[in-house]
Amino acid sequence: MPGKKLQIKFTKVRKSGKGLQERMLFLRGAVKNIHQVGSILPSSQAVAQSMTQMLRQQPAPRRILEVGAGTGPITARIVREMKPGDHLDIYEIDPKFTAFLVERFAREPNFQRVAHQVAIHTDSIEAIKPQAQYDIIISAVPFTNLPPDAVKLFFETYRTILRPDGVLTYIEFIFGRTILRVFARKDARKRLRGVDNVVRRYVSAYEIKRQIVPFNAPPARIRSLRFDE
Ligand SMILES: C[S@@+](CC[C@H](N)C(=O)[O-])C[C@H]1O[C@@H](n2cnc3c(N)ncnc32)[C@H](O)[C@@H]1O
């Protein structure tokens, strides 16, 4: 198309020992419970940038919730974007991951800078108080592995705890459910179809933005939803 440039951004792959330690911890968590973790590699920097786009659009102060932080690749980008007056709650179900995050907030300068504005909860998001309190939710919980009713419950929980005008941004893997359906047995195929239907209903009613991120393993789709009636 004339005058329109396709920009492709190559992100640096961290080769430090710390990055390797992070990937090994993540892989161990995935091997132990692939259904809960949902992938074998932490998200790329390109995903982290896309997942945090609302932080660059909404003025501070903001109440931010990150769900399923894992070893913190997206958290690392959130803390860079945080301003005075912002507050971040992190819900992560795996205690090994939250222990790793606590270390990052103690040792890494970008994390240390905002540590007093952050609370880490080693808990399932289902345990959160059902009260409208967040401007931005960033969720990496793998919906594809859940039963359809649980996916619906996630969307409804997020809707309940977002303030009016608040935005949910979440990640899914491109063709994830479609590919799984090819290999799945009959009952699993039925579950995946059910998840698809739930996701499609919420997306068609509330999606405000969608972005494809090819530079991730596997490639991802980032969706933002606003639940205004
Ligand atoms: C796909 S991983 C994403 C990790 C990290 N945010 C990243 O992008 O690399 C999903 C994370 O969600 C966590 N998780 C799964 N179910 C959860 C729940 N109900 N509440 C909180 N965290 C959950 C898993 O332990 C895992 O760390």
Side-chain angles (χ1 to χ4, degrees):
M1 209 190 295
K4 198 153 190 197
K5 260 197 222 150
L6 178 67
Q7 279 200 330
I8 299 179
K9 242 194 195 165
F10 290 91
T11 48
K12 264 193 275 168
V13 177
R14 269 187 301 165
K15 291 210 176 82
S16 65
K18 218 163 46 176
L20 183 64
Q21 188 195 355
E22 179 182 343
R23 280 195 286 272
M24 288 311 292
L25 177 66
F26 193 83
L27 181 62
R28 277 200 294 275
V31 168
K32 211 172 73 193
N33 195 340
I34 188 64
H35 282 283
Q36 194 172 282
V37 176
S39 67
I40 55 166
L41 285 172
S43 291
S44 66
Q45 288 181 32
V47 159
Q49 182 176 357
S50 178
M51 289 284 276
T52 52
Q53 56 192 294
M54 288 303 151
L55 283 169
R56 292 180 288 284
Q57 290 173 24
Q58 284 194 19
R62 293 121 346 152
R63 283 189 64 87
I64 308 154
L65 170 68
E66 186 186 9
V67 189
T71 51
I74 299 170
T75 323
R77 185 68 203 223
I78 296 174
V79 297
R80 270 176 56 192
E81 304 283 353
M82 281 177 71
K83 305 265 184 319
D86 285 342
H87 176 83
L88 169 65
D89 280 321
I90 297 174
Y91 273 74
E92 168 52 60
I93 203 167
D94 186 326
K96 290 221 167 72
F97 290 160
T98 48
F100 187 79
L101 288 172
V102 168
E103 280 282 300
R104 293 192 78 170
F105 276 100
R107 290 187 201 288
E108 293 182 33
N110 282 343
F111 283 71
Q112 281 172 333
R113 183 182 68 85
V114 294
H116 62 289
Q117 293 165 252
V118 177
I120 301 178
H121 309 261
T122 305
D123 215 335
S124 166
I125 189 61
E126 287 95 323
I128 202 165
K129 207 158 144 196
Q131 162 185 314
Q133 49 181 319
Y134 294 106
D135 302 293
I136 295 173
I137 299 177
I138 295 170
S139 171
V141 170
F143 288 164
T144 294
N145 298 334
L146 299 171
D149 283 353
V151 176
K152 184 162 183 250
L153 192 61
F154 265 94
F155 279 118
E156 285 307 313
T157 302
Y158 292 155
R159 185 215 288 264
T160 305
I161 62 179
L162 273 173
R163 287 176 172 158
D165 276 348
V167 175
L168 159 69
T169 298
Y170 76 93
I171 180 169
E172 59 186 22
F173 298 129
I174 297 179
F175 304 128
R177 286 188 292 278
T178 315
I179 291 170
L180 283 177
R181 273 220 301 262
V182 174
F183 299 104
R185 285 207 299 252
K186 199 172 162 198
D187 49 344
R189 274 208 302 273
K190 189 170 164 217
R191 182 187 65 75
L192 288 164
R193 257 198 314 276
V195 172
D196 255 348
N197 290 339
V198 172
V199 169
R200 216 171 290 144
R201 226 174 301 140
Y202 280 91
V203 163
S204 66
Y206 304 116
E207 186 178 68
I208 54 167
K209 191 164 179 185
R210 139 181 18 155
Q211 200 171 14
I212 303 283
V213 182
F215 297 108
N216 191 64
R221 183 186 291 112
I222 313 298
R223 295 188 189 274
S224 292
L225 274 58
R226 184 180 282 127
F227 294 97
D228 44 9
E229 306 296 319

